[in-house]
Amino acid sequence: MKIGKLENSVLEELILKKFTPMRAESKTQPRIGEDCAVLDIGDDFVALSSDPITSVGTESLGRLSVYVNCNDAVCSGADPVGLMVTLLVPPSATENDIDRIANDLAAAARRCNVDILGGHTEITDAVTRPITSTTVIARAARNKALMGAQSGDSIIMTKSAGLEGTGIIAAALVEPSMREICEYCFDNLSVVQEARIAVDCGAHALHDVTEGGILGAVWELATCANLGATIDVNAIEVLPQTQQLCDRLGLDPLRLIGSGSLLIACANPEAMLKRLQKADIPARKIGVLHEGDICDLDGKPIAPPESDELYKLNLGK
């Protein structure tokens, strides 16, 4: 099988269709494009999401574990409260490696104002390098639930495409000229700030860009809402360094893992862009949601996400 996420058709057939809700507390069920589960257990909702980090070294593993999971929570309109982190390290790891990961986790948690609540740490020969699997616990106020993307909504993206993939590739190349862009990418993977702004400004739906890149995220956003979309591919921001790395390695930057970029579905794009730009968050409108197909301006279909471009590379595996 291909490395990376299961193809959506396989995911649906082998896994998702087998689960049906049985508890009244469960307000959501697993489906394509849905990153958070929501439970009704009292005055507020509780949102939960889990993600592994498998593609980076010890230097940035903790940082990505925090940012990627908090991103999922804020994209459901919830406020991240804490994280449960499972850390698996191979026998070749050192105490310094574990110390570095823990320090990275702590620093990122402070930046996102979340607590590391617990988890599990284990040395195992089942892995060849350190990996984490993290669950975020978040609080969602009943009166702030996102209504879901609507036909006619504009699609706004923040920052640029392929940020996470650019950082991972730059780190793996271990070239002095790549150090600055690597740090820039990893320092900008959180979408907590822009998600909070978007919710406050009336966003109907949010979706963070992960595996499958910006085009995969567009497809997931539209599909989750049972809508189509028209995307201006030329409006998608790509950093020059991202484009250069992708050209060098034969990758598509629009299909490269892209944590750090947020998709916002909203009815008021001008007001949304003004608020984001006031907060110094780069953003631009890239398309619109509507009934029908998911395509570009020329009518070319945008395919669902498959194995991420990152997995075309060896990167020391």
Side-chain angles (χ1 to χ4, degrees), residues 134-240:
T134 303
T135 298
V136 60
I137 301 96
R139 184 173 181 171
R142 289 177 178 272
N143 62 352
K144 289 189 177 180
L146 298 178
M147 66 184 297
Q150 308 291 302
S151 181
D153 279 354
S154 295
I155 301 174
I156 290 172
M157 73 169 285
T158 67
K159 300 173 186 161
S160 54
L163 274 178
E164 183 178 357
T166 302
I168 292 170
I169 295 168
L173 291 176
V174 196
E175 297 175 2
S177 62
M178 293 287 110
R179 186 67 189 178
E180 184 176 351
I181 187 61
C182 177
E183 283 301 306
Y184 172 83
C185 290
F186 286 151
D187 280 343
N188 283 277
L189 296 189
S190 173
V191 298
V192 171
Q193 182 186 11
E194 54 255 54
R196 287 172 174 159
I197 291 171
V199 170
D200 187 56
C201 197
H204 290 162
L206 307 175
H207 192 63
D208 61 319
V209 182
T210 55
E211 286 193 31
I214 187 74
L215 293 184
V218 164
W219 189 93
E220 290 176 343
L221 175 69
T223 299
C224 189
N226 295 313
L227 292 170
T230 299
I231 302 300
D232 181 358
V233 175
N234 293 325
I236 296 173
E237 177 72 16
V238 180
L239 291 175

Side-chain angles (χ1 to χ4, degrees), residues 3-242:
I3 293 175
K5 285 184 178 181
L6 285 174
E7 293 183 10
N8 286 306
S9 58
V10 179
L11 177 65
E12 181 69 39
E13 179 65 25
L14 295 184
I15 299 177
L16 297 184
K17 77 174 189 178
K18 297 177 181 177
F19 305 127
T20 55
M22 296 182 291
R23 302 278 306 215
E25 296 94 336
S26 302
K27 309 309 291 184
T28 59
Q29 64 185 88
R31 61 175 179 159
I32 292 168
E34 188 72 74
D35 289 330
C36 272
V38 178
L39 299 177
D40 183 354
I41 60 171
D43 293 337
D44 289 333
F45 293 123
V46 173
L48 305 159
S49 184
S50 294
D51 261 310
I53 300 296
T54 61
S55 301
V56 297
T58 58
E59 186 174 352
S60 301
L61 182 60
R63 198 175 348 179
L64 266 67
S65 301
V66 173
Y67 293 161
V68 167
N69 282 275
C70 287
N71 287 354
D72 281 343
V74 294
C75 286
S76 72
D79 183 32
V81 174
L83 300 165
M84 299 288 292
V85 184
T86 294
L87 171 63
L88 303 178
V89 297
S92 60
T94 67
E95 289 187 3
N96 285 338
D97 291 331
I98 296 172
D99 184 57
R100 176 181 292 182
I101 294 167
N103 287 336
D104 202 33
L105 278 168
R110 286 192 296 271
R111 183 173 178 182
C112 290
N113 191 31
V114 296
D115 290 328
I116 304 296
L117 300 172
H120 178 78
T121 303
E122 181 176 330
I123 300 169
T124 172
D125 59 7
V127 299
T128 58
R129 61 183 175 194
I131 66 170
T132 59
S133 180
T134 303
T135 298
V136 60
I137 301 96
R139 184 173 181 171
R142 289 177 178 272
N143 62 352
K144 289 189 177 180
L146 298 178
M147 66 184 297
Q150 308 291 302
S151 181
D153 279 354
S154 295
I155 301 174
I156 290 172
M157 73 169 285
T158 67
K159 300 173 186 161
S160 54
L163 274 178
E164 183 178 357
T166 302
I168 292 170
I169 295 168
L173 291 176
V174 196
E175 297 175 2
S177 62
M178 293 287 110
R179 186 67 189 178
E180 184 176 351
I181 187 61
C182 177
E183 283 301 306
Y184 172 83
C185 290
F186 286 151
D187 280 343
N188 283 277
L189 296 189
S190 173
V191 298
V192 171
Q193 182 186 11
E194 54 255 54
R196 287 172 174 159
I197 291 171
V199 170
D200 187 56
C201 197
H204 290 162
L206 307 175
H207 192 63
D208 61 319
V209 182
T210 55
E211 286 193 31
I214 187 74
L215 293 184
V218 164
W219 189 93
E220 290 176 343
L221 175 69
T223 299
C224 189
N226 295 313
L227 292 170
T230 299
I231 302 300
D232 181 358
V233 175
N234 293 325
I236 296 173
E237 177 72 16
V238 180
L239 291 175
Q241 296 93 330
T242 299

